[in-house]
Amino acid sequence: MSISAPPCDHAASTGPVVLRALRHGESTSNVAWAESLAGGTATVPSDDMEISLTDLGRRQAAAVGRWLSALDQPPDMVWCSPYLRAEQTWSLARRELVAAGREAPCERVDARLRDRHRGLLHHLPPAVVEERFPGEAAREGREGMLGYRPPDGESFMDVAARLRSAWQDIRGDAAHQRVLIVAHDAVVLLLRQILEGLSDDEILAITAAGLAGNGSVTTWERQEKRFRLASYDFRGHLRL
């Protein structure tokens, strides 16, 4: 599945003044992970890019679209992760937006917005990791949650590095003022660190309190030269 991006005819302006980050709707891997932690045996596709939405996830995505269509000024630019669950989320949201008579925004799929790659530990619950890769839990404890890089995978710091590159392009786009990023919980978390200048300890505290939920929206607004958090993990539109 791919997003078709029509030519952009927006004139240069002030650049982004509102940034929203949408976590994709519930996916089959989200359900399988919850089941595995509860002792189940659910499996997910080995290719993380091909994990799709559940029926609930599709309803969440449509609810996001209806919420966006009710805004006085919906997004005029969307940056989307290349993962199927993110592209499906935006496609369903966009359908609702257009059905409400609102103009479809410009779109771009960007690989830098992909989810964190956990390498050989891909979608393995803690008990299985301990069995197949003894010592990795201890190594994560030594290196810390943010710095730990699984075998053949990425650390959260690696994700932050590619997000900083993407953010420079997003912020430098003078033609669009209301930007929506459709991606993953790790992306939302680390965007908070990048935009708000949060310390590692502050990021760990946010993680401990709970990451952004499926279909939730986090919003930042530009004030002078900085973007300040307006709302985190907003789910008011998800009354399904």
Side-chain angles (χ1 to χ4, degrees):
M1 177 180 179
S2 62
I3 288 176
S4 176
C8 174
D9 58 1
H10 291 103
S13 62
T14 62
V17 295
V18 175
L19 176 70
R20 292 185 172 91
L22 164 64
R23 186 188 176 193
H24 62 79
E26 182 189 75
S27 70
T28 56
S29 66
N30 295 143
V31 174
W33 177 256
E35 290 181 2
S36 67
L37 291 180
T41 58
T43 59
V44 296
S46 58
D47 186 351
D48 201 25
M49 292 189 68
E50 294 304 315
I51 292 169
S52 62
L53 296 181
T54 63
D55 288 342
L56 174 58
R58 295 176 68 86
R59 295 198 303 273
Q60 290 171 333
V64 170
R66 291 191 292 272
W67 178 75
L68 290 173
S69 69
L71 295 175
D72 290 339
Q73 294 184 313
D76 58 9
M77 179 66 192
V78 172
W79 292 64
C80 189
S81 160
Y83 283 19
L84 177 61
R85 54 193 181 274
E87 291 195 4
Q88 285 180 328
T89 297
W90 169 238
S91 293
L92 291 165
R94 177 182 56 190
R95 185 171 69 184
E96 296 292 333
L97 188 69
V98 173
R102 308 305 293 268
E103 181 180 356
C106 297
E107 301 167 338
R108 173 172 171 174
V109 175
D110 196 302
R112 293 171 294 182
L113 301 176
R114 66 189 184 275
D115 204 358
R116 179 194 178 204
H117 177 50
R118 285 177 49 82
L120 298 181
L121 308 189
H122 170 69
H123 293 301
L124 297 181
V128 177
V129 171
E130 184 61 30
E131 177 184 349
R132 298 184 188 177
F133 301 92
E136 285 302 311
R139 187 164 73 86
E140 182 175 10
R142 292 193 303 271
E143 298 176 4
M145 188 198 85
L146 299 180
Y148 169 70
R149 183 182 292 116
D152 295 341
E154 290 182 298
S155 70
F156 283 100
M157 290 181 179
D158 295 330
V159 177
R162 55 177 163 83
L163 285 178
R164 286 189 179 91
S165 171
W167 171 237
Q168 291 303 311
D169 289 346
I170 293 169
R171 188 169 191 173
D173 176 9
H176 302 97
Q177 294 184 312
R178 302 175 304 280
V179 178
L180 176 67
I181 294 173
V182 185
H184 312 272
D185 54 359
V187 171
V188 177
L189 176 70
L190 295 170
L191 279 173
R192 290 204 59 182
Q193 184 169 48
I194 293 167
L195 273 66
E196 301 168 43
L198 301 181
S199 68
D200 288 352
D201 286 343
E202 288 172 314
I203 287 297
L204 291 173
I206 293 170
T207 302
L211 296 175
N214 293 118
S216 69
V217 179
T218 297
T219 302
W220 298 266
E221 297 173 350
R222 193 176 76 190
Q223 297 179 8
E224 297 180 351
K225 294 183 179 181
R226 296 191 61 183
F227 280 79
R228 301 188 184 278
L229 184 71
S231 64
Y232 174 60
D233 190 27
F234 173 72
R235 309 184 197 186
H237 50 285
L238 298 179
R239 299 184 181 93
L240 305 175

